[in-house]
Amino acid sequence: MATIQGVRSNWLLKFINTVIGIVALAAGVGVWWFGWRPLPQTSGTVAAPVRSAVTVQRDERGLPRIEAATLEDLLFAQGYVTAQDRLWHMESLRRAANGTLAEVVGPGALDLDRETRSYRMARIAERQLAKLSAADYTALAAYARGVNHFIRERRGNYPVEFRLLAFDPRPWRIEDTLGIGLLMFRTLSSTGRMELQKAVLLAKGDREKVEYLFGTRGGEDIQPGSNAWALAPSRTASGRALLANDPHLQHGIPGTWYPVQLRGGGLAVSGMTIPGIPGVIVGRNERIAWGITNLAFDVQDYYLEQLDPATGRYLYKGQVLQAELDRELIPVKGQAPVEFRQWVTGHGPVITTVGNRQAALRWTAAEPEPFSFAILPLNRARNWEEFRAALASFPAAPSNVVYADADGNIGLQTMGRLPIRRRHAGDVPVEGSTGEFEWEGMIPFAEMPSVYNPPSGRVLTANQNPFPADYPYRVGGNFSAPYRARQIADRIGAAPKWTAAATMEVQADVYSGLSHHLAGHVVAAWERQRGSKPQLAAAVELLRGWNGQMMPELAAPLVMSYTYQHLRRMIAEKAAGQPGAEYSPDIGSAHIEALVARRPPGWFADWDAVLLRACEEGLEEGQRMQGADVRKWRYGVYNQLTVRHPVLEKLPWIGGYFNLGPYPANGSSTTVKQTSARLLPSMRLVVDFGDPAGAQYHLPAGVSGHPFSGHYKDQWRAYQSAEGLPLVAPAVSTLVLQPAP
């Protein structure tokens, strides 16, 4: 009997081991088939429709260096190589730009597609295509051919995301590149929502208070602009000019930026671009370097139309006009297409209602202006004059662009199409029927803020208002409070000479002037009203010894985060005269801090009581989340960072592997290193003209968008520790695109 049982036991064990082996083998085959098989070829030879051989070298982190004899071959290869690494990223960007996400992911993306189509970006891209010069068309077409060569070459072997969502990519078009540019434009210039928010607060509120809260100056508007600055040779250890840039954008995997080096056809440039767009958007060539931050100037206005939504007839300057009816079918995976209808007046598409009025959105990106693809002229620029000439025709979102060159010059130039408003400020929706509030052209480029070789030896931009108080045109926008700019300026001034490594440490700075200053006010209010709220004693002691660093292991940053949220709500409700008032301008924190410091009459009779009540309500909220003992709170539990892959994270059991995090994060919205559930420094780049590596950089994740690539998230540790990686490094592989016979 024992022998029989032993045989049965051995048989069962072998059976189980066999099943486990088969499952493991099947899993391994599946991983190879869907994960490793789509990885790009990085060595050897590939036949391609190029005029002469093109070489693609990659360094140990996968960064490509492309060399070609002609510009067309160079851009063809850039399209091909970018698709090798980021085809799914490019696909998701173009679908986000043209409103076709629901076609591949289902009804959950339908609202996003409706919103995108309401901006008419696909139609704008078609209009831009028709305006391209022959040279621009040739360049963009070469890039598209490179993408399409890869798509054809890899038919049936696309990245895993295509397999999971069960579709193949369509051929790449020039309109797709233009659409991605418009998507970035929209992301960086959606100021119209602030008009709607302000209009709601004005409806029942105190006009003077609301106007104060929406002011465009933060009390200390240092110099024009996410973070960028340049230092003259007198301020650097190398004795050469230095430039730093770290744009703050919504995070995800793959990351926003794709690093590349391009040489040939009149280009010798390296830096960062966005997958789907040829050339280099931020970087350097042999003579100059540049970095970009969002200007946040108001380039959108809502016009209240006297429009019959049934017929599309509307009144304008005493005449009855007919609005255009946009009708489109939005494809939706798993169900019938959904119709999208929208009236378009002379001001733009009717996007929303304000009260009982239809509101049309006017946006500078949709204006019938000349269009040119100015990235390549920028990449070729060799001095300040050529740099400014390229920016004068740049069709991107309004920006501040920092400059440095090999001769030691530094500068900063504002660029973009900025509307001239003579009869209104653009801060609330205006009457559209009278024609009284039309734009009067665009501010001339020659009259935009510009700084060249200032005596201070530095230029600095951190999204704050760059326009002087006596600027001849109306200025409006969602400018940032001055905390980041102030901290960068203080750090620069604290050291006589700067290196690339030290500069990256500044980019990772997590001191919050807002939270630190408000903490001082809370402590002072407690001292003056000691005993009125004894339940705050432990929190006040934490704040008393805090140095303003937003570190994950501390409790004080969390106390102030909750306190500020409740203080902001109380101030907004006071101005609006109603509970639940929404108030979220980027510059709002500076206005709130100024109110607390100056305590003007007409707001609150007892500011100390208001501060302590905000702190008390904040503690009550925090205790529900992290327990009664405030000394055990941890900011990193509240400020958790997870950088997500939108498709692969949904896989059962293994989805979390494809994300970064969750990590307890440092920083806040008012620190040089902006960190939140939504925003992250999207890359860091420091160009020192004395650095033989060309520049130092890192990404939050990695160069590749393939989840099974060794370069999918291999830069995370360097990013977290603010360690620079060389932009120019020895090659470890070489691929040759060889002319097809």
Side-chain angles (χ1 to χ4, degrees):
M1 180 66 71
T3 302
I4 294 174
Q5 289 177 343
V7 169
R8 289 176 176 173
S9 177
N10 289 336
W11 177 87
L12 181 60
L13 184 60
K14 289 180 180 180
F15 176 78
I16 292 173
N17 288 337
T18 301
V19 170
I20 292 174
I22 292 172
V23 170
L25 178 62
V29 170
V31 168
W32 177 84
W33 185 263
F34 292 108
W36 272 281
R37 194 171 68 101
L39 293 179
Q41 179 181 345
T42 58
S43 61
T45 302
V46 171
V50 291
R51 294 182 181 179
S52 57
V54 180
T55 62
V56 182
Q57 296 181 319
R58 291 179 183 264
D59 67 14
E60 63 180 353
R61 292 178 180 84
L63 189 154
R65 180 164 63 245
I66 306 171
E67 295 191 25
T70 67
L71 181 62
E72 282 191 56
D73 282 355
L74 185 71
L75 297 181
F76 173 94
Q78 186 184 4
Y80 179 87
V81 170
T82 307
Q84 278 189 310
D85 287 327
R86 299 284 189 95
L87 182 61
W88 164 250
H89 190 187
M90 297 167 70
E91 180 72 22
S92 62
L93 286 175
R94 70 166 164 180
R95 287 184 175 276
N98 61 29
T100 57
L101 286 170
E103 182 180 14
V104 296
V105 301
L110 191 54
D111 286 344
L112 288 174
D113 284 351
R114 287 194 183 102
E115 181 181 7
T116 295
R117 289 171 187 249
S118 72
Y119 280 83
R120 310 183 85 221
M121 292 195 297
R123 297 182 187 275
I124 297 172
E126 291 170 357
R127 192 163 64 237
Q128 290 177 344
L129 175 65
K131 294 182 177 181
L132 286 175
S133 68
D136 286 345
Y137 185 95
T138 298
L140 293 174
Y143 184 88
R145 287 199 306 274
V147 177
N148 288 329
H149 185 68
F150 178 78
I151 290 175
R152 288 191 299 271
E153 178 186 274
R154 284 302 178 101
R155 185 174 289 116
N157 187 20
Y158 297 124
V160 63
E161 294 90 345
F162 291 96
R163 302 281 68 81
L164 291 173
L165 296 176
F167 78 99
D168 290 343
R170 300 188 184 102
W172 195 262
R173 306 175 305 157
I174 295 176
E175 297 96 308
D176 296 325
T177 291
L178 299 175
I180 291 173
L182 286 166
L183 179 65
M184 293 304 298
F185 197 135
R186 174 187 159 196
T187 299
L188 297 173
S189 67
S190 293
T191 51
R193 65 182 179 84
M194 302 309 302
E195 294 183 29
L196 302 177
Q197 191 178 104
K198 184 175 181 179
V200 171
L201 267 65
L202 283 172
K204 296 182 180 179
D206 182 315
R207 174 167 290 275
E208 183 178 351
K209 290 183 175 64
V210 173
E211 293 289 355
Y212 171 81
L213 290 179
F214 282 85
T216 58
R217 296 197 172 274
E220 191 176 322
D221 303 306
I222 296 180
Q223 266 191 20
S226 293
N227 301 326
W229 63 93
L231 302 179
S234 61
R235 286 181 168 269
T236 69
S238 69
R240 309 291 295 275
L242 181 151
L243 179 143
N245 191 199
D246 59 310
H248 302 144
L249 297 168
Q250 188 167 345
H251 53 67
I253 295 183
T256 301
W257 300 98
Y258 182 74
V260 68
Q261 299 171 32
L262 303 172
R263 183 174 293 274
L267 291 186
V269 62
S270 57
M272 305 288 171
T273 191
I274 293 170
I277 298 179
V280 167
I281 297 174
V282 172
R284 63 164 296 178
N285 59 30
E286 294 172 325
R287 295 292 307 162
I288 76 168
W290 64 95
I292 300 177
T293 71
N294 185 17
L295 175 61
F297 194 94
D298 183 7
V299 294
Q300 294 180 336
D301 278 341
Y302 277 108
Y303 287 85
L304 304 178
E305 306 285 24
Q306 293 191 26
L307 178 142
D308 181 350
T311 66
R313 294 177 181 175
Y314 68 103
L315 187 66
Y316 183 69
K317 290 186 177 181
Q319 294 184 317
V320 177
L321 303 179
Q322 178 62 51
E324 174 188 351
L325 179 61
D326 260 0
R327 299 181 64 178
E328 299 176 339
L329 290 177
I330 304 177
V332 182
K333 184 176 182 178
Q335 66 179 53
V338 174
E339 185 179 35
F340 174 79
R341 296 165 53 95
Q342 182 179 47
W343 292 113
V344 182
T345 73
H347 293 119
V350 176
I351 284 182
T352 189
T353 57
V354 177
N356 60 353
R357 300 286 298 278
Q358 303 286 317
L361 181 70
R362 189 173 186 183
W363 180 30
T364 56
E367 292 295 296
E369 300 283 340
F371 179 83
S372 65
F373 185 72
I375 290 176
L376 296 182
L378 177 61
N379 289 182
R380 285 190 287 259
R382 299 183 61 80
N383 53 48
W384 174 250
E385 291 74 22
E386 293 178 7
F387 163 79
R388 294 186 74 236
L391 295 186
S393 60
F394 213 110
S399 303
N400 292 302
V401 190
V402 170
Y403 169 93
D405 68 30
D407 294 328
N409 301 300
I410 62 171
L412 191 150
Q413 177 66 54
T414 296
M415 65 91 172
R417 294 170 182 163
L418 313 182
I420 298 173
R421 301 176 175 95
R422 300 290 188 190
R423 304 295 300 273
H424 70 114
D427 54 346
V428 292
V430 294
E431 179 60 48
S433 65
T434 63
E436 180 182 359
F437 302 108
E438 302 303 322
W439 296 348
E440 299 181 24
M442 301 291 161
I443 297 175
F445 180 80
E447 298 182 51
M448 293 184 189
S450 183
V451 180
Y452 185 62
N453 285 338
S456 64
R458 62 114 166 120
V459 290
L460 165 63
T461 159
N463 306 119
Q464 73 275 26
N465 188 343
F467 297 90
D470 60 351
Y471 195 61
Y473 302 98
R474 287 183 182 267
V475 173
N478 191 24
F479 305 114
S480 287
Y483 302 106
R484 285 183 287 121
R486 185 186 302 159
Q487 179 66 358
I488 294 168
D490 288 348
R491 290 288 302 269
I492 290 173
K497 303 289 184 179
W498 284 91
T499 64
T503 300
M504 277 198 169
E505 291 178 4
V506 177
Q507 290 176 323
D509 189 288
V510 293
Y511 171 77
S512 171
L514 170 70
S515 297
H516 197 203
H517 298 156
L518 287 180
H521 288 294
V522 171
V523 172
W526 163 262
E527 294 292 349
R528 287 188 291 266
Q529 297 196 12
R530 182 186 292 273
S532 65
K533 292 187 181 294
Q535 65 272 32
L536 303 184
V540 169
E541 284 307 307
L542 288 171
L543 299 179
R544 194 192 307 277
W546 180 49
N547 60 3
Q549 298 291 321
M550 304 294 283
M551 298 300 291
E553 68 272 15
L554 300 179
L558 183 52
V559 172
M560 286 315 304
S561 295
Y562 282 131
T563 299
Y564 175 73
Q565 291 171 17
H566 286 273
L567 179 63
R568 179 179 62 183
R569 174 187 54 78
M570 293 161 65
I571 288 174
E573 290 178 350
K574 181 68 174 179
Q578 54 185 313
E582 183 181 353
Y583 175 65
S584 59
D586 290 348
I587 204 169
S589 55
H591 295 321
I592 289 172
E593 186 196 348
L595 282 175
V596 172
R598 298 168 188 166
R599 305 186 175 208
W603 284 83
F604 299 102
D606 188 342
W607 278 93
D608 284 350
V610 169
L611 278 168
L612 296 181
R613 180 155 59 91
C615 185
E616 182 181 24
E617 292 180 3
L619 287 179
E620 291 173 355
E621 182 177 353
Q623 286 167 349
R624 291 193 292 271
M625 304 300 295
Q626 294 203 29
D629 190 348
V630 68
R631 294 166 297 187
K632 294 182 180 179
W633 289 7
R634 295 296 177 263
Y635 179 61
V637 175
Y638 164 86
N639 195 38
Q640 287 230 342
L641 173 66
T642 302
V643 184
R644 302 179 183 279
H645 190 294
V647 176
L648 299 182
E649 76 157 351
K650 295 178 171 55
L651 291 174
W653 301 302
I654 62 171
Y657 166 80
F658 304 105
N659 297 336
L660 285 169
Y663 294 101
N666 58 10
S668 72
S669 62
T670 56
T671 59
V672 175
K673 178 190 176 184
Q674 285 187 296
T675 310
S676 70
R678 187 173 61 90
L679 290 177
L680 197 69
S682 56
M683 62 88 173
R684 297 190 184 103
L685 179 74
V686 179
V687 177
D688 183 341
F689 278 93
D691 181 1
Q696 303 291 316
Y697 86 102
H698 49 233
L699 307 172
V703 169
S704 178
H706 291 276
F708 292 95
S709 167
H711 306 306
Y712 177 66
K713 49 184 178 181
D714 60 333
Q715 296 188 29
W716 175 248
R717 291 187 182 276
Y719 177 87
Q720 283 288 76
S721 60
E723 173 193 350
L725 305 175
L727 191 62
V728 177
V732 298
S733 66
T734 300
L735 176 70
V736 178
L737 304 185
Q738 195 70 36

